[in-house]
Amino acid sequence: MVRVKVKIIDTDQEWLVEVENGARIRDVLEKLDLNPEEYIVSRNGEVVAEDEEVGEDDLIILYPVVSGG
Amino acid sequence: MVNCSFCGRKAVYVSKALGRAYCKKHFLEYFDKKVRRTIRKYKMFSEKETIIVAVSGGKDSLALLHYLVKLSKRVPGWTIKALLVDEGIKGYRETTIKDFLRVAEELSVEYRIVRFRDELGYSLDEIIEIGRRKKLPYHPCSYCGVFRRYLLNKAAREMGGTVIATAHNLDDVIQTYLMNIVKNSWEKIVRLGPVSGTAGHPRFIRKVKPFYEILEKESALYAVLNNLYPRFVECPYAQQSIRWHLRKYINKLEEMYPGTKYSMLRSLLRIIQLLEDKTNKIIEGEIRSCHICGEPASHDLCRACTYRLELEIMDENGNIIKNMDTGALGNQLSI
Ligand SMILES: [Zn+2]
Ligand SMILES: [Zn+2]
């Protein structure tokens, strides 16, 4: 199992998520019932595609896409 | 690792609809090509323009401002100015104005901020409260939309604008499309094209949407990659709207069936084309001048004046009526 931390930027929303080895960021989001269409993902400070695999202790920061104009 | 389809470097974006992955460099290149193609295809700008960029301080409009300022360096005849309409939404707009000012300064772009309170006598929060007390049937977003469009056109003209660029992206457009199908409002759907009709009214400034074919996610990514992403605040009225729900559903569909959004945009463009002959004449013929304020109107009065009369915040000569009771809001403000 791999454990990652997920945060939504500028909010208090924060989770610790456990996923299978080899899981991708989209699997992590799915566990949290978040749609990858609606977030830009940065992993350990770097913008990545949501099909990227996650590693132990990764810090994932989500930038919501759905804020207005 | 997910690799860029063009250079093999690490991808920052995958488009399932197009079956391609992009690194930062190739994403920005793709973005630029796509927007320039849209601008060309729909003849949005000529060689000499004063482009007024309608900004809110949200990521889309900051991205558009950044993009057009950069593009304008290659077009000597273009002047770019930014215009922000401050509706006065407590706890929301103050934050986005700060983000806007930061970016405007970095880009050293000329700007103007127009406030509901100065122009209409009341903030949007107050207008909504007055409307509630009078039991008017309008949603907060209706007041906001009508008054914003009104002030945008008026202020852009005063700034010498020849065209207004708004940051509406593909997602915004197809959400509005669906909303208007539900409401059976085909005359609004016809107006959802990338360029607003030239409506032969001397006070009407043409509007264009350079991000018409850009997905909301792409515009957000452009903002993040260019350090424009503002502090995340959501409009407090947004969650009450049909749009908010539609957006969720459309995003779910897109995740399950990539390409749904592009397909819906094609559907919109097709129906606009099919309806064009029938409706263009009707819409263009209907443009008049508002009896009270002289701005473009489709009836004797423009929507903004109609709302102001109903709210009783303006008299029939166009004078602002002060001291309307806004209840708790009014009390808060006078403390
Ligand atoms: Zn590349
Ligand atoms: Zn009027």
Side-chain angles (χ1 to χ4, degrees):
Chain A
M1 294 296 267
V2 179
R3 227 167 38 156
V4 299
K5 194 175 187 178
V6 183
K7 278 171 107 160
I8 296 187
I9 193 159
D10 297 330
T11 69
D12 303 329
Q13 285 175 283
E14 196 179 311
W15 304 271
L16 272 175
V17 185
E18 270 195 4
V19 284
E20 303 279 328
N21 286 334
R24 298 165 306 162
I25 289 171
R26 69 167 60 250
D27 302 317
V28 175
L29 296 187
E30 199 178 310
K31 272 206 151 178
L32 296 168
D33 201 22
L34 301 174
N35 185 343
E37 266 298 298
E38 301 185 345
Y39 299 92
I40 305 292
V41 182
S42 107
R43 189 185 54 188
N44 306 328
E46 217 185 343
V47 177
V48 291
E50 58 269 15
D51 292 308
E52 200 73 25
E53 267 185 34
V54 289
E56 181 70 18
D57 286 333
D58 273 355
L59 172 61
I60 292 173
I61 294 178
L62 303 177
Y63 295 76
V65 159
V66 295
S67 67
Chain B
M1 188 165 111
V2 183
N3 297 318
C4 175
S5 313
F6 302 89
C7 71
R9 263 176 291 194
K10 196 172 187 180
V12 296
Y13 178 60
V14 175
S15 167
K16 279 196 190 163
L18 304 175
R20 287 187 201 118
Y22 302 83
C23 68
K24 178 177 174 179
K25 175 174 172 258
H26 285 110
F27 169 76
L28 291 172
E29 218 174 273
Y30 153 79
F31 187 94
D32 178 48
K33 269 191 197 154
K34 202 174 178 189
V35 181
R36 273 189 296 140
R37 193 187 58 207
T38 306
I39 291 173
R40 266 199 319 271
K41 187 160 67 180
Y42 299 107
K43 300 184 175 62
M44 293 189 169
F45 306 117
S46 59
E47 276 172 28
K48 201 168 161 25
E49 298 278 12
T50 298
I51 302 171
I52 308 292
V53 183
V55 290
S56 65
K59 59 173 174 37
D60 296 307
S61 61
L62 294 182
L64 179 64
L65 183 62
H66 181 272
Y67 180 82
L68 286 177
V69 166
K70 271 184 65 190
L71 188 61
S72 73
K73 308 254 193 261
R74 291 189 259 163
V75 192
W78 284 8
T79 306
I80 309 284
K81 296 180 185 177
L83 170 58
L84 185 142
V85 179
D86 175 6
E87 319 86 350
I89 302 177
K90 229 178 158 11
Y92 170 66
R93 191 49 82 207
E94 300 97 313
T95 315
T96 64
I97 286 179
K98 277 186 207 144
D99 285 311
F100 161 64
L101 291 176
R102 176 179 66 84
V103 173
E105 242 155 64
E106 272 171 30
L107 296 171
S108 30
V109 67
E110 195 187 318
Y111 67 86
R112 185 175 161 197
I113 296 177
V114 175
R115 299 196 157 80
F116 271 32
R117 232 163 183 281
D118 300 334
E119 303 290 322
L120 310 170
Y122 297 88
S123 70
L124 180 65
D125 288 341
E126 293 172 314
I127 286 171
I128 288 166
E129 186 54 32
I130 296 169
R132 260 183 209 141
R133 285 165 175 249
K134 294 197 177 305
K135 301 201 164 42
L136 298 182
Y138 309 115
H139 188 274
C141 298
S142 299
Y143 296 118
C144 186
V146 166
F147 291 131
R148 282 180 65 84
R149 269 194 299 280
Y150 179 77
L151 294 177
L152 202 59
N153 188 65
K154 194 163 165 264
R157 196 178 60 237
E158 289 164 7
M159 292 166 80
T162 52
V163 58
I164 298 172
T166 63
H168 293 104
N169 54 47
L170 193 158
D171 291 68
D172 296 326
V173 171
I174 57 175
Q175 286 155 21
T176 311
Y177 176 36
L178 284 193
M179 281 166 63
N180 285 313
I181 289 178
V182 174
K183 291 190 206 153
N184 195 22
S185 297
W186 296 92
E187 75 287 354
K188 286 190 182 153
I189 288 170
V190 171
R191 292 200 193 94
L192 269 179
V195 176
S196 71
T198 44
H201 191 285
R203 291 198 181 192
F204 187 82
I205 312 284
R206 214 161 57 90
K207 284 207 198 78
V208 298
K209 304 181 183 85
F211 285 176
Y212 198 75
E213 292 169 338
I214 292 287
L215 295 165
E216 186 165 40
K217 185 161 183 181
E218 295 172 341
S219 142
L221 181 55
Y222 181 91
V224 170
L225 294 176
N226 286 294
N227 293 317
L228 304 166
Y229 190 88
R231 269 152 296 176
F232 174 62
V233 273
E234 199 164 38
C235 175
Y237 300 114
Q239 296 218 357
Q240 307 168 18
S241 67
I242 294 182
R243 181 181 293 279
W244 189 86
H245 294 283
L246 275 176
R247 180 188 237 167
K248 288 265 158 205
Y249 292 128
I250 297 171
N251 281 333
K252 256 182 214 156
L253 280 176
E254 180 66 29
E255 173 67 8
M256 289 187 285
Y257 311 104
T260 298
K261 290 180 182 178
Y262 286 124
S263 172
M264 284 168 72
L265 189 72
R266 282 195 297 274
S267 154
L268 170 62
L269 286 166
R270 182 84 179 113
I271 194 70
I272 291 176
Q273 199 183 43
L274 289 173
L275 293 174
E276 208 165 37
D277 295 340
K278 290 175 185 169
T279 33
N280 254 4
K281 284 169 205 144
I282 305 164
I283 290 173
E284 303 239 337
E286 263 182 3
I287 290 288
R288 311 178 206 176
S289 297
C290 172
H291 282 357
I292 295 182
C293 70
E295 292 290 309
S298 46
H299 304 279
D300 286 348
L301 299 180
C302 71
R303 287 281 297 284
C305 285
T306 309
Y307 274 12
R308 284 189 284 182
L309 290 179
E310 286 185 63
L311 289 158
E312 296 180 74
I313 59 172
M314 183 186 77
D315 67 23
E316 283 174 12
N317 299 313
N319 300 310
I320 291 172
I321 299 173
K322 295 241 165 67
N323 306 322
M324 273 300 299
D325 187 7
T326 52
L329 281 173
N331 292 337
Q332 267 171 26
L333 291 165
S334 61
I335 284 167

